[in-house]
Amino acid sequence: MSGYSHPSREDDPVHTVRTIGRVAQMLIELRDEYVKRPRPDLLVQIDKRLSDLDALHDELRQRAAGDLG
């Protein structure tokens, strides 16, 4: 499989799912960094990314409901 992916519109659920993946990867990297060197600023970043995921979760629900309705 090549690295090519089909472009998606911002209102497309695929866009939301890809963004969820990027944020999840950021959380993994922040976790690894925090485990190596615990710092309060990293906890702030982890909290921010979790909030981002929560917002993306809501967005995905709305888009999925729109696709079904």
Side-chain angles (χ1 to χ4, degrees), residues 7 13 26 50 54 58:
M26 283 187 251
L50 289 171
D54 190 41
D58 290 342

Side-chain angles (χ1 to χ4, degrees), residues 28-43:
I28 290 168
E29 291 167 6
L30 286 166
R31 176 210 58 195
D32 291 347
E33 191 174 342
Y34 186 80
V35 167
K36 288 178 190 172
R37 285 189 16 200
R39 298 187 336 250
D41 64 306
L42 291 174
L43 290 178

Side-chain angles (χ1 to χ4, degrees), residues 15-51:
H15 177 76
T16 304
V17 169
R18 287 179 176 159
T19 303
I20 289 168
R22 287 191 296 271
V23 173
Q25 184 61 43
M26 283 187 251
L27 273 166
I28 290 168
E29 291 167 6
L30 286 166
R31 176 210 58 195
D32 291 347
E33 191 174 342
Y34 186 80
V35 167
K36 288 178 190 172
R37 285 189 16 200
R39 298 187 336 250
D41 64 306
L42 291 174
L43 290 178
V44 170
Q45 284 298 312
I46 290 168
D47 184 65
K48 170 69 173 120
R49 297 302 159 232
L50 289 171
S51 294

